[in-house]
Amino acid sequence: LRCGRVYPLMGFVVLVFLCALTGLVFGDSKPKTCSDIRHFYINKGFNLNGVPQTAISGEHLQVCSQGYTCCTSGMEENLLNLSQREFETQVKESGRTLQASLNSQFKSFDDYFLELLNRSEASLQTSFQTGFGPLFSQITKVFQDLYSDFRRYYRGSSVNLEEALNEFWARLLERLFKVLNPQYIIGEEYLECVAKQSETLKPFGDTPRELKTKITRTVIAARTFVQGLVISGEAVRKVSQVSLSTECVRAVMKMTYCPHCSGVAFPKPCSSYCKNVMKGCLANQADLDSEWRNLADAMLEVVDKLSRPYSVDSVVLSLPKRIAEAILYMQDNLNTFNNKVFQACGSPTQSSKTEDQIKRGRNTAEEVSGTPGAQLEKVLSDVSRMLRDIMQYWVHLPRKLCVDREAGPSEADTCWNGMSVARYLPEVMGDGLASQINNPEVEIDITKPDMTVRKQIMQLKIMINRLKYAINGNDVDFQDTSDDISGSGSGMCADDQCSRDPRLTAPKTEKPNVYAYPSENKKVVNGRSSQNLPCVSLYLLSLVTVLLRR
């Protein structure tokens, strides 16, 4: 009887022991409470309606692990949308910072160059009024029109600089010829004949030819340079507003908020893990890198041209002196010029009116040194530094966005790797769309580039060609496929939808799915495996009972 009582008692003790042992072996990863995420969730601006007090089974989750969780489907959806808003805001804010830098440099150079033109025109008017007296009132309108053409061209109007300069010298010759020859009656037809002789007789010496070369190179370089700053700002604005793909949003959510749902709120994402997510999300943007660097290089070359061998300020500010020299040359050689004109065009009719001969003027315009001034040096130095700093912006952007998120080197074994707190093993992907074919975190079809980004790449190429022509002193107008962009813009135009270019559409192919880890539906989750523990316990209990009965 005693033995018979012992066996059932032993069976009960063994059963308790096995259940305890089973709990120790298999464990239970179920979080005890959801207090941490409740506090976090309400701080993000959401209400606590439907938020669990304790962990629940996670079969309903679409992005995060389906083990025990503190997130409902509604919470996951809210956090998914929050991930998208926050990441897009980060990209846009980074773009706005770069735009602000570009716009600041644009404004500095724009203000400086326009002030140069104002100073040059004011000097011309003042020196001529002092040095040429009565002659000034006859030709002041010609000067005003010349500087007006310079400003219009610089601002992006379709002014032909060479034609504007030719027109200036032609009009100046007409006015001067009449004013310096008051003893003759000179009509329009006679002036036309005079104008035809000017190319061979060179009434102003070599000044028109020399000035044409210097001033056109300078103003072309200045206009193209500010256009480069504007186009750069536009590219940044438009590319920074490219919408995120669904796969990217899910990857950012998994990296950012899934740890909270799993009850692991404190570890930061592993450094390489964060970079792979960001490189996948910003793969299209990184494809700007090559043309972006080419644009910066071309603009630096233009900066060099603006500072030497004839700096932009010395060329613009020396205009009054050179124009005065040209007029004095004509006054000094007036008799020789008249004789040759009379031979070609005939002697004009004598005037019955007696007018005093205009006396020779004086060149009171100040000599301008060819050395760049301190203000110009600072403007060009600042813009050169900025261009070098932003040269690798697009390939450095993923790393920049990870700086405040990612774990440090000392936390390589205790960071969030997308599934758990452990070391992240996959390697970091390269830059650009083509390099993402094996990205373990963001699934991307590399045959479908973003058309907004591709369009901006084409705009950068067009601008690079303009800059290269400007470096050689040439102006060229390409058919611009962008929105209306002038040299006076700020790079902050209104949003628009970019059209798709069929030439850039690649054939559709299926990209193989590559996983660094098992996919979600193949993962073995502790929360789910614990549901099988009762079956294992019953099996062991039955086995012990059979043995005891023996």
Side-chain angles (χ1 to χ4, degrees):
L1 289 174
R2 289 180 180 177
C3 290
R5 291 177 180 177
V6 170
Y7 286 124
L9 179 61
M10 287 179 64
F12 176 74
V13 172
V14 170
L15 176 61
V16 172
F17 174 76
L18 287 172
C19 286
L21 181 62
T22 302
L24 289 173
V25 172
F26 291 95
D28 189 356
S29 62
K30 178 179 178 179
K32 293 180 180 179
T33 68
C34 293
S35 58
D36 286 343
I37 195 170
R38 287 172 65 85
H39 180 71
F40 159 81
Y41 196 66
I42 198 170
N43 283 342
K44 287 293 183 180
F46 302 110
N47 62 59
L48 293 177
N49 293 340
V51 178
Q53 295 284 352
T54 58
I56 58 176
S57 181
E59 287 90 345
H60 55 278
L61 298 181
Q62 301 296 313
V63 179
C64 298
S65 170
Q66 294 184 332
Y68 277 106
T69 182
C70 286
C71 288
T72 63
S73 295
M75 292 172 66
E76 187 182 49
E77 183 66 25
N78 288 337
L79 293 175
L80 196 66
N81 293 332
L82 179 63
S83 298
Q84 180 172 359
R85 290 196 302 272
E86 289 180 339
F87 184 61
E88 287 180 344
T89 298
Q90 269 191 302
V91 175
K92 288 177 184 177
E93 283 301 319
S94 179
R96 289 190 188 104
T97 300
L98 178 53
Q99 280 180 270
S101 180
L102 289 165
N103 291 336
S104 174
Q105 298 303 326
F106 165 83
K107 189 175 188 306
S108 294
F109 185 85
D110 185 62
D111 289 347
Y112 181 79
F113 187 75
L114 290 175
E115 178 60 23
L116 271 185
L117 290 176
N118 292 339
R119 286 169 58 195
S120 179
E121 183 175 16
S123 172
L124 182 64
Q125 301 283 7
T126 302
S127 62
F128 264 73
Q129 196 165 9
T130 303
F132 288 83
L135 184 60
F136 169 75
S137 60
Q138 303 293 323
I139 56 179
T140 180
K141 182 66 167 60
V142 181
F143 298 151
Q144 291 173 355
D145 290 344
L146 175 65
Y147 280 88
S148 176
D149 284 338
F150 287 156
R151 292 187 185 91
R152 288 172 54 228
Y153 175 84
Y154 172 73
R155 285 300 194 190
S157 297
S158 57
V159 175
N160 186 304
L161 271 185
E162 290 196 9
E163 288 181 3
L165 285 167
N166 291 338
E167 177 70 13
F168 164 74
W169 293 113
R171 290 177 61 197
L172 186 61
L173 175 61
E174 289 179 3
R175 300 288 178 93
L176 286 175
F177 190 77
K178 290 183 70 173
V179 172
L180 296 177
N181 291 289
Q183 68 275 28
Y184 298 110
I185 298 175
I186 301 173
E188 293 299 322
E189 290 184 3
Y190 196 88
L191 285 176
E192 288 181 9
C193 181
V194 173
K196 292 176 182 178
Q197 311 308 312
S198 62
E199 187 172 346
T200 55
L201 299 181
K202 295 184 177 180
F204 299 113
D206 288 330
T207 299
R209 179 183 57 81
E210 294 172 356
L211 265 188
K212 180 186 292 186
T213 301
K214 289 182 179 180
I215 196 66
T216 54
R217 281 179 177 270
T218 297
V219 182
I220 287 171
R223 180 173 91 154
T224 311
F225 179 71
V226 294
Q227 284 180 336
L229 292 172
V230 172
I231 293 294
S232 300
E234 277 295 284
V236 173
R237 184 188 67 81
K238 291 182 178 180
V239 172
S240 296
Q241 293 179 348
V242 170
S243 299
L244 302 177
S245 66
T246 302
E247 293 78 9
C248 168
V249 175
R250 291 169 65 89
V252 174
M253 161 68 179
K254 185 178 179 182
M255 178 179 72
T256 309
Y257 293 127
C258 283
H260 293 273
C261 291
S262 301
V264 188
F266 298 105
K268 292 183 177 181
C270 300
S271 177
S272 296
Y273 172 44
C274 182
K275 288 182 177 63
N276 274 343
V277 171
M278 295 300 174
K279 284 182 179 248
C281 287
L282 300 171
N284 279 286
Q285 288 85 336
D287 279 347
L288 279 168
D289 176 63
S290 177
E291 299 308 329
W292 185 259
R293 284 186 287 106
N294 290 339
L295 179 69
D297 284 334
M299 291 181 70
L300 286 170
E301 287 191 61
V302 174
V303 168
D304 190 56
K305 289 292 183 183
L306 291 169
S307 59
R308 64 182 183 87
Y310 303 103
S311 64
V312 59
D313 51 359
S314 67
V315 171
V316 175
L317 293 178
S318 65
L319 269 174
K321 184 173 181 62
R322 299 308 308 277
I323 292 173
E325 288 174 353
I327 294 175
L328 290 175
Y329 181 90
M330 181 172 178
Q331 282 187 296
D332 290 342
N333 296 278
L334 183 62
N335 290 334
T336 302
F337 180 73
N338 280 351
N339 291 334
K340 291 182 178 179
V341 167
F342 295 164
Q343 289 177 9
C345 303
S347 298
T349 306
Q350 290 280 344
S351 173
S352 59
K353 297 179 181 178
T354 57
E355 297 184 29
D356 294 334
Q357 186 77 23
I358 298 259
K359 294 182 180 180
R360 185 183 188 277
R362 293 178 294 112
N363 191 349
T364 61
E366 296 181 2
E367 179 69 36
V368 180
S369 170
T371 304
Q375 186 179 357
L376 174 64
E377 284 188 340
K378 184 180 186 310
V379 170
L380 296 181
S381 175
D382 288 346
V383 75
S384 295
R385 188 182 308 109
M386 183 270 297
L387 288 170
R388 291 187 176 93
D389 288 343
I390 69 171
M391 198 167 284
Q392 292 183 293
Y393 173 80
W394 297 107
V395 292
H396 283 174
L397 184 58
R399 185 176 65 187
K400 177 183 176 183
L401 297 182
C402 280
V403 167
D404 296 330
R405 298 170 177 260
E406 65 187 15
S410 61
E411 303 168 298
D413 293 319
T414 57
C415 54
W416 174 253
N417 64 14
M419 292 196 313
S420 62
V421 178
R423 181 176 290 270
Y424 183 76
L425 300 179
E427 63 179 6
V428 177
M429 297 293 103
D431 301 308
L433 190 62
S435 299
Q436 307 309 310
I437 189 169
N438 291 320
N439 192 317
E441 308 307 332
V442 186
E443 185 176 345
I444 302 175
D445 186 347
I446 65 171
T447 66
K448 293 183 178 179
D450 182 89
M451 289 299 108
T452 298
V453 173
R454 297 295 142 175
K455 184 175 181 181
Q456 293 311 306
I457 290 174
M458 293 301 299
Q459 293 304 312
L460 295 183
K461 287 183 177 180
I462 291 171
M463 194 65 242
I464 290 165
N465 282 328
R466 285 179 176 167
L467 288 163
K468 287 180 177 178
Y469 273 87
I471 291 166
N472 295 319
N474 299 317
D475 192 9
V476 61
D477 286 323
F478 291 94
Q479 183 63 40
D480 196 344
T481 57
S482 67
D483 301 323
D484 292 335
I485 299 173
S486 70
S488 60
S490 63
M492 299 292 286
C493 66
D495 295 348
D496 69 336
Q497 296 295 326
C498 296
S499 60
R500 293 181 176 270
D501 187 344
R503 295 171 298 173
L504 299 176
T505 304
K508 180 177 179 181
T509 60
E510 293 299 325
K511 170 184 173 292
N513 295 329
V514 181
Y515 298 95
Y517 298 106
S519 58
E520 281 295 330
N521 58 355
K522 294 181 181 179
K523 291 179 186 175
V524 178
V525 185
N526 288 338
R528 297 180 107 184
S529 63
S530 63
Q531 295 171 1
N532 295 326
L533 291 181
C535 296
V536 175
S537 300
L538 290 174
Y539 174 77
L540 291 174
L541 178 60
S542 302
L543 180 60
V544 171
T545 303
V546 171
L547 292 173
L548 289 174
R549 285 179 178 176
R550 291 182 181 179

